[in-house]
């Protein structure tokens, strides 16, 4: 089968199409014929070798963790899903014609494979950080980096829960952030003052690691009410870094429920043929994705 691989850590150019064997699902896993794979910043962080000390991987290696496709083989012990059913979920080496998933759910009615591939990791992350920061209905949440994949999910889930959101985004995404029910702010130097003038802020999320933790701390007045998913300096300020602990099956079920009620939509920023994975990575790394980029298989 065709798959995207890299033989050494490096820039987008190390990604290359290759012919490899079809993977087999282990116990509790399924294999899908991939129709679309989601492109997450995590994928290019792995490709660059950012995690090589904590999680070394043998090279050459495949890429990707989110995908949508048709069930092709079911591993031992798997119940409730059959060959031929359309699913989305998380697994490994999903930039490929076939991939093994360890968590999945049926694709909600009306959602294309391309759209579905964009949901798993962003919804899992969004649910995890909203829970961790402890924001409640009626409270106000400040979201730095509101227009990306995770931001798009956080804004819509928060709105559904009756949480007021103020989101920062670039000039081109102000209307988009407003369309998701949030008050939009551009992130030029005066944004903290403009946020403060909007009233008390109960909790804040840093979703892009752009060095805003001190400002978020000033706005909420308490490190327990600030969480980051992307700034490794967090512990210096007593702020929590949300790195692990997600529940993907729960996230997929909640995503399906929200999508069915028309409360969650992650737009496709752009789709690319599988062979153009390097372009998708370069565009994702440029840092201004609205929603999610996907590879079509
Ligand atoms: N720790 C975890 O568990 C975890 C999980 C998922 C993701 N992450 C990390 O979280 C980050 C975001 O992930 P993602 O999938 O949402 O990324 P993404 O879809 O690529 O979105 C990035 C967003 O950042 C915004 N942005 C760029 N510069 C900004 C600035 N100065 N201030 C505020 N926003 C800015 C961009 O919006 P504009 O175009 O409007 O500028 C863009 O929409 C990545 O670094 C990823 O690696 C961590």
């Amino acid at each position: 089968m065709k798959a995207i691989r890299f033989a050494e850590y490096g820039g987008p150019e190390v990604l290359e199409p290759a012919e490899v064997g079809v993977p087999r699902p282990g116990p509790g896993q399924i294999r899908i014929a991939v129709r679309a794979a989601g492109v997450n910043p995590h994928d290019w962080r792995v490709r660059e070798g950012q995690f090589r000390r904590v999680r070394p991987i043998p090279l050459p290696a495949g890429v990707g963790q989110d995908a949508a496709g048709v069930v092709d083989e079911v591993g031992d012990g798997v119940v409730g899903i059959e060959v031929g059913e359309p699913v989305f979920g998380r697994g490994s080496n999903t930039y490929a014609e076939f991939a093994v998933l360890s968590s999945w759910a049926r694709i909600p009615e009306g959602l294309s494979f391309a759209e579905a591939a964009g949901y798993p990791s962003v919804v899992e992350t969004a649910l995890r950080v909203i829970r961790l920061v402890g924001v409640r209905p009626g409270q106000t949440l400040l979201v730095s980096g509101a227009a990306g994949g995770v931001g798009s999910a956080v804004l819509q889930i928060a709105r559904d829960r009756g949480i007021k959101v103020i989101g920062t985004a670039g000039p081109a995404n102000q209307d988009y952030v407003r369309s998701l029910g949030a008050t939009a702010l551009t992130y030029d130097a005066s944004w903290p003052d403009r946020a403060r003038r909007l009233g008390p802020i109960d909790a804040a999320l840093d979703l892009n690691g752009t060095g805003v933790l001190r400002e978020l701390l000033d706005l909420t007045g308490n490190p327990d009410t600030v969480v980051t998913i992307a700034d490794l300096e967090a512990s210096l300020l007593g702020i929590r870094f949300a790195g692990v602990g997600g529940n993907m099956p729960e996230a997929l079920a909640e995503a399906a429920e929200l999508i069915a009620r028309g409360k969650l939509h992650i737009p496709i920023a752009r789709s690319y043929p599988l062979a153009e994975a390097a372009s998708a990575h370069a565009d994702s790394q440029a840092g201004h994705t609205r929603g999610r980029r996907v590879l079509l298989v």
Side-chain angles (χ1 to χ4, degrees), residues 24-32 70-85 87 101 104:
R24 295 293 311 277
Q29 299 179 324
I30 61 171
R31 185 176 69 199
I32 62 168
V70 178
V71 180
D72 170 72
E73 188 179 344
V74 171
D76 285 347
V78 171
V79 292
I81 198 83
E82 293 184 4
V83 169
E85 293 196 74
V87 296
L101 300 186
W104 60 87

Side-chain angles (χ1 to χ4, degrees), residues 198-286:
L198 294 170
I201 291 169
D202 301 293
L205 294 172
D206 166 31
L207 300 183
N208 205 41
T210 41
V212 293
L213 292 183
R214 282 181 197 284
E215 287 82 354
L216 298 184
L217 190 50
D218 277 352
L219 287 169
T220 71
N222 178 357
D224 293 342
T225 55
V226 181
V227 166
T228 177
I229 60 170
D231 193 330
L232 297 172
E233 306 281 289
S235 63
L236 301 176
L237 297 169
I239 288 170
R240 286 167 296 169
F241 181 95
V244 287
N247 183 330
M248 183 54 84
E250 183 186 82
L252 293 171
E254 183 139 358
E257 192 268 327
L258 286 163
I259 293 164
R261 286 198 287 117
K263 300 295 183 187
L264 179 63
H265 173 68
I266 308 291
I268 298 174
R270 188 178 154 191
S271 58
Y272 307 71
L274 179 63
E276 292 176 19
S279 300
H281 271 209
D283 292 347
S284 172
Q285 284 190 254

